Amino acid sequence: MSDDHHDHKPTGLGRWLFSTNHKDIGTMYLWFSFIMLFIGGGMAMIIRAELYQPGMQLVDPDFFNQMTTLHGLIMVFGVIMPAFVGFANWLVPMMIGAPDMALPRMNNMSFWILPFAFGTLLSTLFMEGSAPNFGWTFYAPLSTTYGPASTDYFIFGVHLMGISSIMGSINVIVTILNMRAPGMTLMKMPIFVWTWLITAFLLIAVMPVLAGVVTMMLTDRNFGTSFFEAAGGGDPVMFQHVFWFFGHPEVYIMILPSFGIISQIIPTFARKKLFGYSSMVYATASIAILSFIVWAHHMYTVGMPLAGELFFMLATMLIAVPTGVKVFNWTATMWKGSLTFETPMLFSVAFIILFTIGGFSGLMMSITPVDFQYHDTYFIVAHFHYVLVTGALFAIFAGAYYWLPKWTGNMYDETLGKVHFWISLVSVNVLFFPMHFLGLAGMPRRIPDYALQFTDFNQMASIGAFVFGGIQLLFLYIVIKCIRGGEKATDQVWEGAEGLEFEQLPSPAPFHSFTQAPEVK
Amino acid sequence: MGDGMSVLLRTIKAISLMFVSTELFAAAQMDLTPGVTAISQEVYELHTLILWICVIIGAGVFGVIFISIFKHRKSKGAVAANFHDNMTVEVLWTVIPFLILIGMAIPAAKTLIKMESPADDAEVTIKITGYQWKWNYDYMHEGFNYFSNLAQSSKDAVNSDNPKDREGINYLLDVDNRMVIPANKKVRFLMTSNDVIHSWWVPDFAVKKDAIPGYINEAWTIVPKEGVYRGQCAELCGKDHGFMPIVVEVKSEADYAAWVAEKKGVAAAAAAGDSKTWTMDELMAKGKDIYNASCAACHMAEGQGIPAAGFPALKASAIATGPVAAHLDIVINGSKVNPAMAAYGAQMSDADLAAVITYERNAWGNNTGDAVQPADVKAARK
């Protein structure tokens, strides 16, 4: 590229602290997410170690509750969401032919809020009394009247995360709507850009709701209101309605960008265009719209009227249709392709199958009368780990392997990548599949100790957890090794890769992506 | 459900048993329980039906993916085809799943409507109140209520280093006082809570309903089979959420009537206990039992508390060794600053409160020598 000589970067700490560059900020988001993965994962290891056998061995029940709470919060808000914002930062400008994000200073701020948000959240572990111990869903009144003193820090942390997410999504929307290269119509955008555009709208719609619910908690706890306090005329069930009105779209916020990543990768390694591009776009939009009218399927047991239970059951079942369309389209993309199985493709194929298994258990739980049996058991734990670990996290792994050569200019170590994949694949199923059985057999979630008949499957799950957790250190090694050197990547990187970032930018991509708008056919 | 469907279900069940029962985990339950009530069996059939629909769809989709993985490899010389759009198949794979979903929704709605039908014709009504961390069962038409705590055998085994201590005691699934209901009668449960949200769940009845402060939820069951059925609290309710099991004993009509009569006698004796004067030894013995059942979860068996988690020690504490009036006040009315300390005035009789307060004032070296009598409690309740 002719503009390479503009490629001078600021140096030292200032490069990162004051960065307005989409790539540097993307890198920081991804490293932040990676660090949080190990912190949240460490908590998961504590949980699985305590659950290795019946009886309390390692921690006390209150600390166990702190671990499940912080594990959930960190994985949702500190790992999956920042990783996708990192991908958006790196890729959206490159994919739509823009030089950078539209609002670079806001971009800097939305990242730098995060370390403070999570610093606040994690500091509660070192406070007198208990850290937040009421589950990542923080149901009132357990989190309000009965919450530990540190809950106010948790509320402040959630507010900061919300501000960061809203700024990040405004940036994504403004960039996508204003900075596309000439000729890049909406229906020519890569699917990843589409999924992020829709995700950003979801974020703007529901993050204020989350902010609202924690603010109501704050005033209930400190200023004498009774939003959720029955004794004061308030309503604890209203908390759940407000929380899940945020919480259900949040679920799709964590999965739609994964759909985007997978939709970029499968065509590359099938050497065949994505099947049903427009139906993929419409399916994503349908899922997003439906996500606003299904929230109460998280609360079938609160004693809703029959009409409410029926409505939420039917609306929830409906989500299976656009989700199915996506799976069928990916399958059709692979069909009669010319397939190769480099690490990104391996993770993507595993994603399709394992995410679909998570989708099936989701469909089972949409059925209200049966959900009375599944609700709040390990069955739901199995379900959301299938969609979030073998779903969202596997998509993040796939995306990282897929674009690392473009980002660093070096190929990662393919052999090690495959080792990482196969060990992750086996161990993650040993970890989460038995949880279906535990839930069906009647083991409630969020308990630090269990009856003897649950021992076998808990041990299996724990062993899977230790292997799955441990092997992620190999991923860390692979990433560092790739950054530091390795076989040089070509500009196209992958034989079947299409899109502006592979066709019109060198590897590694220059510091400023497109200083002149590329031509889009 | 029609005949055709039950034949299908039976066949499916037989096939699934072949896979499941032979394996390593023959001892461990892997599937949902069919339970013992008509409703729970209907729920189980729905579960099985939907599971197998998912398995069949999964086998189809994954089958296509695997064929593609093995046949359409570049290394086998596969050349990529050119197609990337087809309106017909898009419409087909939107409409067909939609029809399958309708097929699932109809039996599901039927079962749901049955489960949610009103229980006004119930012959027994039990109000279930969740407490941190125990259940209260109030037999509303019989005029007695009692608490159901985790059994002492399980409490003793929780921190034991010897796994054998946890065997043979229905570890974490046993209680001191069971709920008792008659067989073949419609029993209505009314759920509410005294503090945070709990959830009352007995898998064999397919009954799970949240117990929410300020709400009264309703569920019902008719259990045809006598026996003992176990469940657990299903909603995170704080530290000992994992330690508040549910045990329901279903008795024949005659045995149930005898049990009710006995319970009424116990209630009458408790009322008599409120009006007598107790000796120190009687108070200490009764107080120790009550303390272990109701107080030790937070203040711990030796009164040492868990200060790090906000549960203060009672041993040598200002309240337990200071003026009796302040001690009576905090136990009867709860703490004004720490909601974890509930108001026990509503939960316990005068004699129970007198005994437990006496115990706290004299155990673990507190040795105040105070013997609090039911009459003192009665006076302090004002």
Side-chain angles (χ1 to χ4, degrees):
Chain A
M1 297 298 283
S2 58
D3 49 2
D4 271 2
H5 60 277
H6 291 299
D7 209 22
H8 48 80
K9 300 173 181 130
T11 49
L13 194 61
R15 170 179 171 187
W16 303 104
L17 273 178
F18 308 122
S19 177
T20 51
N21 178 278
H22 74 101
K23 297 194 176 69
D24 280 357
I25 293 173
T27 303
M28 289 194 290
Y29 264 110
L30 289 169
W31 276 113
F32 178 82
S33 158
F34 212 164
I35 293 165
M36 285 294 147
L37 178 69
F38 284 105
I39 296 177
M43 292 172 175
M45 296 300 115
I46 295 174
I47 293 168
R48 284 316 321 169
E50 177 56 56
L51 291 174
Y52 184 74
Q53 51 179 322
M56 298 301 299
Q57 278 88 22
L58 303 171
V59 298
D60 63 68
D62 189 62
F63 189 73
F64 183 90
N65 288 345
Q66 296 172 38
M67 288 295 103
T68 54
T69 305
L70 291 172
H71 164 75
L73 289 167
I74 287 172
M75 291 305 196
V76 168
F77 295 102
V79 178
I80 304 293
M81 292 171 69
F84 285 139
V85 181
F87 275 100
N89 259 295
W90 259 101
L91 296 171
V92 167
M94 296 205 289
M95 284 179 160
I96 62 172
D100 203 303
M101 296 295 277
L103 308 164
R105 285 180 203 285
M106 194 163 87
N107 205 8
N108 174 294
M109 191 171 165
S110 73
F111 171 76
W112 277 110
I113 285 175
L114 280 184
F116 293 94
F118 284 88
T120 308
L121 182 64
L122 288 171
S123 71
T124 58
L125 276 173
F126 306 100
M127 289 177 187
E128 207 177 312
S130 174
N133 54 6
F134 29 67
W136 87 274
T137 51
F138 53 100
Y139 279 9
L142 186 62
S143 63
T144 53
T145 322
Y146 294 83
S150 60
T151 308
D152 296 327
Y153 289 83
F154 151 83
I155 291 171
F156 185 59
V158 171
H159 269 301
L160 288 179
M161 292 167 209
I163 293 169
S164 162
S165 290
I166 290 174
M167 291 201 297
S169 24
I170 290 173
N171 211 347
V172 167
I173 293 174
V174 175
T175 307
I176 294 174
L177 294 185
N178 290 294
M179 299 190 53
R180 277 170 289 131
M184 171 78 73
T185 59
L186 285 176
M187 289 310 274
K188 275 189 188 165
M189 292 196 309
I191 289 280
F192 177 76
V193 179
W194 256 116
T195 54
W196 240 112
L197 181 64
I198 292 168
T199 302
F201 276 106
L202 286 182
L203 275 165
I204 289 184
V206 300
M207 277 296 154
V209 179
L210 176 67
V213 78
V214 293
T215 306
M216 289 154 97
M217 276 176 69
L218 187 76
T219 61
D220 266 14
R221 288 172 54 83
N222 299 296
F223 307 116
T225 59
S226 295
F227 290 112
F228 309 130
E229 175 63 46
D235 184 347
V237 176
M238 184 175 69
F239 172 91
Q240 297 181 30
H241 282 293
V242 183
F243 176 83
W244 286 114
F245 189 81
F246 145 78
H248 200 79
E250 169 69 17
V251 172
Y252 296 114
I253 287 164
M254 291 190 283
I255 204 65
L256 294 185
S258 335
F259 290 169
I261 290 173
I262 300 304
S263 303
Q264 300 297 130
I265 294 176
I266 300 274
T268 295
F269 296 97
R271 291 164 183 78
K272 189 163 157 279
K273 266 194 157 47
L274 181 69
F275 190 86
Y277 171 92
S278 47
S279 78
M280 285 298 229
V281 173
Y282 299 139
T284 309
S286 318
I287 293 173
I289 291 165
L290 284 173
S291 77
F292 286 103
I293 55 162
V294 296
W295 76 89
H297 67 214
H298 296 269
M299 17 187 314
Y300 283 148
T301 61
V302 298
M304 260 183 288
L306 176 65
E309 289 177 336
L310 281 172
F311 171 79
F312 285 105
M313 175 173 85
L314 298 174
T316 305
M317 292 174 81
L318 218 50
I319 290 191
V321 175
T323 315
V325 166
K326 292 199 142 276
V327 173
F328 299 140
N329 275 321
W330 288 320
T331 309
T333 307
M334 287 173 68
W335 189 254
K336 296 212 167 177
S338 173
L339 301 170
T340 53
F341 295 92
E342 289 85 347
T343 312
M345 183 62 165
L346 289 174
F347 273 109
S348 299
V349 175
F351 169 97
I352 300 178
I353 293 175
L354 298 175
F355 173 80
T356 304
I357 291 177
F360 285 142
S361 55
L363 178 62
M364 292 170 74
M365 286 184 296
S366 71
I367 311 291
T368 315
V370 200
D371 183 68
F372 291 146
Q373 294 283 44
Y374 307 143
H375 179 83
D376 266 333
T377 67
Y378 261 77
F379 195 77
I380 175 79
V381 179
H383 161 74
F384 65 66
H385 283 98
Y386 264 84
V387 292
L388 284 178
V389 179
T390 60
L393 188 63
F394 268 31
I396 290 168
F397 288 153
Y401 283 112
Y402 184 61
W403 281 293
L404 261 179
K406 175 55 66 180
W407 296 343
T408 64
N410 307 319
M411 297 304 287
Y412 60 87
D413 186 324
E414 187 64 54
T415 315
L416 288 182
K418 283 187 170 139
V419 171
H420 174 224
F421 168 75
W422 284 108
I423 296 182
S424 293
L425 177 73
V426 173
S427 60
V428 84
N429 283 293
V430 173
L431 163 56
F432 294 123
F433 209 80
M435 291 186 183
H436 292 112
F437 305 139
L438 285 172
L440 293 176
M443 178 166 162
R445 69 191 282 209
R446 292 168 167 167
I447 58 174
D449 193 7
Y450 49 81
L452 303 188
Q453 68 265 35
F454 304 129
T455 312
D456 290 342
F457 288 128
N458 268 298
Q459 276 177 354
M460 232 171 118
S462 290
I463 291 166
F466 301 144
V467 177
F468 184 71
I471 199 64
Q472 302 320 321
L473 293 168
L474 176 66
F475 181 54
L476 177 65
Y477 173 75
I478 295 170
V479 171
I480 292 172
K481 192 176 168 202
C482 174
I483 292 170
R484 300 181 66 155
E487 186 197 329
K488 292 290 157 233
T490 62
D491 289 354
Q492 200 197 359
V493 183
W494 311 105
E495 189 185 47
E498 288 184 358
L500 293 180
E501 81 271 33
F502 291 116
E503 289 168 331
Q504 303 217 19
L505 287 175
S507 302
F511 198 55
H512 300 287
S513 295
F514 289 97
T515 41
Q516 280 168 330
E519 214 173 301
V520 180
K521 284 147 279 167
Chain B
M1 267 176 246
D3 275 350
M5 194 170 281
S6 29
V7 171
L8 177 71
L9 285 174
R10 246 177 289 147
T11 321
I12 286 168
K13 211 183 297 176
I15 298 169
S16 64
L17 279 176
M18 292 194 315
F19 288 110
V20 174
S21 57
T22 53
E23 291 307 316
L24 217 62
F25 295 100
Q29 185 191 338
M30 297 172 81
D31 194 10
L32 193 62
T33 175
V36 290
T37 67
I39 290 283
S40 73
Q41 267 149 17
E42 228 174 87
V43 164
Y44 176 76
E45 283 180 17
L46 260 179
H47 153 81
T48 310
L49 172 74
I50 291 156
L51 175 63
W52 280 98
I53 291 175
C54 289
V55 167
I56 290 162
I57 296 174
V61 176
F62 301 158
V64 174
I65 291 177
F66 279 111
I67 291 172
S68 194
I69 288 175
F70 291 112
K71 266 183 64 182
H72 306 141
R73 279 174 179 264
K74 197 186 175 203
S75 57
K76 290 196 175 166
V79 179
N82 229 341
F83 63 85
H84 57 79
D85 245 332
N86 186 325
M87 199 55 187
T88 318
V89 299
E90 298 283 357
V91 170
L92 278 179
W93 65 41
T94 306
V95 172
I96 294 173
F98 187 75
L99 296 177
I100 297 175
L101 289 175
I102 292 177
M104 291 182 190
I106 291 169
K110 278 187 185 157
T111 303
L112 183 63
I113 289 166
K114 263 188 232 172
M115 291 174 96
E116 296 290 350
S117 63
D120 300 340
D121 52 341
E123 292 180 63
V124 177
T125 298
I126 303 170
K127 187 176 85 175
I128 299 168
T129 310
Y131 286 79
Q132 283 182 323
W133 294 278
K134 61 198 165 196
W135 299 99
N136 181 274
Y137 300 133
D138 186 352
Y139 289 68
M140 300 186 74
H141 302 306
E142 311 292 351
F144 63 85
N145 75 86
Y146 57 91
F147 283 92
S148 179
N149 291 282
L150 178 65
Q152 191 60 41
S153 56
S154 291
K155 287 186 188 173
D156 293 340
V158 170
N159 290 310
S160 166
D161 293 330
N162 183 2
K164 292 251 176 299
D165 291 347
R166 287 183 276 273
E167 286 171 11
I169 56 169
N170 277 311
Y171 179 62
L172 298 187
L173 292 177
D174 202 17
V175 296
D176 54 359
N177 302 303
R178 295 168 170 178
M179 171 187 275
V180 177
I181 59 171
N184 293 312
K185 295 250 162 132
K186 190 161 189 176
V187 179
R188 169 166 57 176
F189 305 115
L190 299 174
M191 285 88 166
T192 187
S193 169
N194 185 57
D195 38 51
V196 301
I197 300 176
H198 304 267
S199 191
W200 197 83
W201 178 33
V202 178
D204 281 320
F205 306 162
V207 170
K208 183 188 284 153
K209 212 49 158 255
D210 292 354
I212 304 170
Y215 274 77
I216 294 176
N217 274 332
E218 185 184 83
W220 60 267
T221 193
I222 300 171
V223 186
K225 228 171 97 187
E226 291 170 39
V228 177
Y229 304 99
R230 294 170 199 277
Q232 285 179 268
C233 176
E235 179 65 61
L236 178 63
C237 56
K239 179 172 82 72
D240 284 350
H241 161 57
F243 304 93
M244 49 182 295
I246 294 150
V247 181
V248 181
E249 187 172 356
V250 179
K251 293 191 181 211
S252 69
E253 205 181 334
D255 289 351
Y256 174 74
W259 176 84
V260 167
E262 184 201 333
K263 273 284 170 189
K264 281 180 172 166
V266 172
D274 283 354
S275 51
K276 81 168 194 182
T277 303
W278 297 57
T279 69
M280 187 73 173
D281 287 347
E282 285 171 339
L283 288 168
M284 286 297 281
K286 187 179 173 68
K288 186 173 186 185
D289 290 344
I290 296 167
Y291 181 85
N292 285 334
S294 298
C295 315
C298 298
H299 295 298
M300 309 308 284
E302 295 303 315
Q304 75 272 33
I306 315 173
F311 303 131
L314 298 185
K315 184 176 178 171
S317 80
I319 287 176
T321 59
V324 179
H327 197 167
L328 280 164
D329 178 57
I330 196 166
V331 178
I332 293 172
N333 300 315
S335 166
K336 311 234 167 2
V337 289
N338 184 354
M341 178 63 202
Y344 283 90
Q347 300 184 30
M348 291 180 188
S349 70
D350 292 351
D352 289 351
L353 287 164
V356 77
I357 291 170
T358 304
Y359 179 73
E360 288 170 357
R361 299 185 71 78
N362 294 285
W364 329 296
N366 280 354
N367 299 339
T368 57
D370 298 331
V372 180
Q373 291 297 337
D376 302 331
V377 175
K378 197 169 183 186
R381 276 186 192 271
K382 304 284 153 54

